[in-house]
Amino acid sequence: MTKELFIQGNQACSMGAIEAGCRFFAGYPITPSTEIAEDLAISLPKVGGSFIQMEDELSAIGAIIGASWSGLKSMTATSGPGFSLMQENIGFAHMSETPIVIVNVQRGSPSTGQPTMTGQGDMMQARWGSHGDYEPIAISPSSVQEFFDFTVKGFNLSEKYRVPVILLADEIVGHMRERVLIPDKTEIFKRVAPYENSSDFLPFKADENGTSPMPAFGDGYKVHITGLTHGELGYPSSSPDDHSNLVRRLTNKTLKNRKDIVSVDLKYCDDADIVLISYGSPVRSIIETVKLAREEGIKIGYLKINTIWPFPEEEIAKLNCDDIFVVELNLGQIVYEVERVVKSNANVHLIGEIGGRLPKPTDILDKIKDLV
Amino acid sequence: MKKEIRIGGFGGQGVILSGVIIGKAAALFDRKNSIQSQSYGPEARGGASKSEVIISDEEINYPKIQNPDVLVAISHEALLKYHTDLKRNGILIVDPDLAHMSEISEFIEKNEIKVYQAKVTKIATEEIGLRIVANIVMIGVITKITNIISVDSAKKAIIDTVPKGTEEKNIKAFDAGYNLDFN
């Protein structure tokens, strides 16, 4: 039976993880993500899973990469300062095609910033934080229900494409409580195991969607896992072609499967002169702003970005309006992506709020009236 | 109908939990929409703490409170910090042993604020014998004065939230607050 609860976003995230089949969590507690670790420390052992509190975030992500290779769906949760420390191994997870889920409940930043306040300063770090060419998958929930749903989705995408998935939440979504429905059955992606004999198996030879079946340690396959450029057998290679083929294949896993991964929600955009774009908790502000503005007869709509990376280029390029306002809790990050995609087809404006306050719908509406 | 409640005190008083219980009572048992959110400092105890609940028949988009209909102050600091946001004709509930009204009497008069005083900390300590249930006594007071949630739903939410084995004490605390006479 569907369960109805009144819980925090962070609690919904940990329930989503269990639902998705997560059986390993390693992390170092940090506000405002701590409740995720707290809840999983209780719930994981009950389903036969393991929870480890690590000495820091570097080891936390190392542990979940190892656990993933031992066959368990694995996750860590952190906030900006911990996310910074995880960047090196995020690159390793991309290169070694290790499915993992990293939850970043963002807070005021840079540095230790505002531990108990909200922020969205890590959007570009999620995109470019590790070195080299890679195409991450990142999704942003804007409600408690979505924090549950997107955690399940995050695990499914990560397992399907063997790409690390980042849940870019923020303090408001993590800490607020709302009614949430926990379905009794959820669609779960089961990791694909190799079918060949171990002697014939090429662990990094891709199937049609660019991904290869993943053996677990102990299954009897010989697998060499390295962050170095490698061929299909997994051993280091210095061939320019091997490098080019590998990195292109890795990035294409995300890029060529855009349609399956990307998700946005649009409302009232068909006749709109003005479109508001946001993601995460400020989505709540723009929905209310559109409601207020429509009551005044202003033709305005909104586009809510669910999948930050890969960026919903096609969906945003299709917008047919004069002005776009990007509302985000930083001094301008996603707004530049919107500009890149929209080109000169609309005027793109930023409403960037920092300090931990959620932009008020009336303030957003005033700014729109000032500028347009 | 949309009602906004803000409860302010200091960390360790159960300020956040009282907001959670009110929000839960509304969302799960009164079948309305509600959102609870909170803010607190980096300290575990003693810092300022605030819990906010919005209850509405309609969908709630913006989750933060701007001008509460009800302010509950269980510390003097919270009273001074938040009283000016109260709506005209709004409801102010204070524990007079912890928050003193004299400093804000001008504001109260000018904005026709309805003030209710409930010595919840004293009641919790002396009647229940457990100071930490002062927040539950306060839920009883809030329920009585505001009618924002029903008594049944409040009790269900308390039982659903408090640790097993403490239900009886907590219901007793709720009743002690609810049975206070404010006329």
Side-chain angles (χ1 to χ4, degrees):
Chain A
M1 218 180 78
T2 304
K3 253 191 303 183
E4 201 180 42
L5 300 167
F6 186 75
I7 51 171
Q8 280 190 318
N10 284 344
Q11 294 173 295
C13 172
S14 61
M15 293 182 82
I18 296 283
E19 186 68 32
C22 173
R23 291 297 177 265
F24 186 86
F25 179 99
Y28 185 80
I30 180 169
T31 304
S33 78
T34 307
E35 295 84 1
I36 299 172
E38 212 176 328
D39 272 22
L40 286 171
I42 297 165
S43 57
L44 268 173
K46 288 182 185 165
V47 293
S50 303
F51 171 94
I52 307 182
Q53 180 168 322
M54 303 298 293
E55 68 268 31
D56 59 28
E57 290 86 349
L58 287 95
S59 57
I61 188 167
I64 66 166
I65 289 171
S68 184
W69 275 102
S70 74
L72 296 179
K73 293 187 183 179
S74 306
M75 179 170 107
T76 189
T78 188
S79 188
F83 192 53
S84 292
L85 294 174
M86 291 180 182
Q87 293 307 317
E88 183 185 13
N89 260 336
I90 289 176
F92 179 79
H94 274 279
M95 198 62 155
S96 59
E97 297 179 72
T98 311
I100 48 169
V101 174
I102 302 153
V103 186
N104 176 1
V105 186
Q106 298 171 90
R107 64 193 218 181
S109 55
S111 191
T112 13
Q114 301 167 289
T116 60
M117 311 284 269
T118 199
Q120 292 178 314
D122 312 346
M123 309 311 292
M124 284 296 162
Q125 189 180 24
R127 175 69 186 86
W128 299 111
S130 201
H131 51 282
D133 289 307
Y134 66 102
E135 291 289 338
I137 297 176
I139 37 190
S140 269
S142 68
S143 66
V144 176
Q145 183 70 52
E146 280 187 352
F147 213 167
F148 176 87
D149 297 340
F150 288 7
T151 303
V152 174
K153 182 183 170 158
F155 271 99
N156 285 346
L157 290 173
S158 180
E159 294 289 332
K160 186 173 180 183
Y161 296 112
R162 291 182 59 184
V163 170
V165 168
I166 297 157
L167 278 162
L168 280 170
D170 62 80
E171 186 274 336
I172 289 177
V173 168
H175 277 164
M176 75 180 179
R177 287 177 177 82
E178 288 182 295
R179 183 166 44 213
V180 54
L181 297 175
I182 310 289
D184 57 349
K185 213 163 169 51
T186 328
E187 207 176 303
I188 303 299
F189 186 87
K190 203 167 165 274
R191 191 179 288 187
V192 180
Y195 41 85
E196 302 98 328
N197 293 328
S198 67
S199 52
D200 305 328
F201 180 59
L202 291 170
F204 294 96
K205 181 176 166 23
D207 286 349
E208 291 108 55
N209 79 349
T211 310
S212 39
M214 184 172 173
F217 291 156
D219 281 357
Y221 291 90
K222 289 175 193 146
V223 185
H224 184 258
I225 302 158
T226 176
L228 284 167
T229 290
H230 46 273
E232 290 179 339
L233 194 56
Y235 288 102
S237 162
S238 52
S239 142
D241 283 345
D242 274 353
H243 182 80
S244 175
N245 290 340
L246 173 65
V247 176
R248 283 174 206 280
R249 177 174 70 77
L250 296 184
T251 53
N252 279 337
K253 285 198 293 185
T254 305
L255 296 178
K256 291 209 166 157
N257 294 297
R258 254 179 209 283
K259 282 212 158 52
D260 181 44
I261 300 168
V262 167
S263 153
V264 300
D265 289 314
L266 289 132
K267 212 161 181 189
Y268 309 117
C269 287
D270 290 345
D271 70 336
D273 302 322
I274 302 161
V275 172
L276 299 179
I277 296 181
S278 194
Y279 51 88
S281 65
V283 163
R284 316 289 294 233
S285 306
I286 65 164
I287 293 176
E288 190 65 20
T289 308
V290 168
K291 197 175 140 199
L292 294 176
R294 284 272 166 184
E295 281 166 12
E296 290 184 25
I298 302 169
K299 284 187 177 171
I300 185 166
Y302 71 82
L303 184 148
K304 160 181 179 290
I305 306 177
N306 301 323
T307 320
I308 308 295
W309 310 116
F311 196 65
E313 293 173 353
E314 282 172 30
E315 292 75 3
I316 290 174
K318 264 194 278 187
L319 290 174
N320 184 15
C321 61
D322 303 327
D323 289 274
I324 292 174
F325 286 80
V326 180
V327 182
E328 50 186 338
L329 305 179
N330 54 51
L331 294 179
Q333 296 195 14
I334 294 302
V335 66
Y336 298 115
E337 287 295 299
V338 174
E339 279 180 358
R340 175 175 69 80
V341 170
V342 169
K343 299 197 171 71
S344 56
N345 296 325
N347 303 310
V348 179
H349 316 270
L350 166 70
I351 297 180
E353 177 94 38
I354 57 169
R357 274 183 299 261
L358 195 61
K360 288 183 190 170
T362 45
D363 290 353
I364 296 174
L365 191 55
D366 287 346
K367 278 185 190 153
I368 293 169
K369 285 176 181 168
D370 278 353
L371 278 160
V372 179
Chain B
M1 189 217 63
K2 183 176 171 188
K3 290 279 178 196
E4 302 186 337
I5 314 167
R6 177 179 290 163
I7 305 166
F10 40 81
Q13 277 182 318
V15 163
I16 290 172
L17 191 71
S18 45
V20 173
I21 290 171
I22 292 169
K24 190 187 270 185
L28 298 188
F29 304 113
D30 281 339
R31 309 303 307 166
K32 292 181 180 173
N33 293 307
S34 81
I35 289 188
Q36 182 270 342
S37 65
Q38 60 212 28
S39 75
Y40 53 92
E43 312 90 346
R45 280 184 187 77
S49 175
K50 173 177 79 164
S51 186
E52 298 183 336
V53 189
I54 305 174
I55 299 172
S56 177
D57 297 321
E58 285 170 43
E59 199 175 333
I60 305 163
N61 296 313
Y62 190 70
K64 297 284 177 183
I65 285 183
Q66 293 164 61
N67 296 109
D69 303 278
V70 181
L71 171 65
V72 181
I74 40 181
S75 79
H76 192 60
E77 189 193 345
L79 178 70
L80 293 186
K81 196 167 169 191
Y82 302 127
H83 74 274
T84 50
D85 292 339
L86 253 176
K87 267 188 195 140
R88 191 173 175 81
N89 265 314
I91 292 173
L92 174 64
I93 305 173
V94 295
D95 183 335
D97 291 331
L98 297 168
H100 316 297
M101 302 297 299
S102 53
E103 271 178 72
I104 65 161
S105 52
E106 200 180 316
F107 174 87
I108 300 290
E109 228 165 89
K110 206 173 132 206
N111 294 283
E112 297 173 40
I113 304 293
K114 289 167 255 170
V115 180
Y116 299 87
Q117 307 205 19
K119 300 189 170 196
V120 293
T121 315
K122 188 164 175 246
I123 293 166
T125 315
E126 291 177 6
E127 283 183 34
I128 317 295
L130 209 58
R131 191 188 162 95
I132 55 164
V133 297
N135 59 338
I136 308 292
V137 179
M138 189 55 102
I139 295 173
V141 173
I142 295 167
T143 308
K144 172 78 163 274
I145 293 169
T146 66
N147 278 318
I148 264 169
I149 49 171
S150 66
V151 177
D152 248 20
S153 299
K155 288 187 177 176
K156 280 182 191 157
I158 289 169
I159 290 166
D160 195 57
T161 310
V162 299
K164 291 251 170 311
T166 69
E167 293 94 338
E168 204 183 316
K169 274 236 150 90
N170 279 294
I171 293 298
K172 208 174 146 196
F174 174 86
D175 286 337
Y178 190 80
N179 292 333
L180 287 177
D181 193 2
F182 292 101
N183 292 319

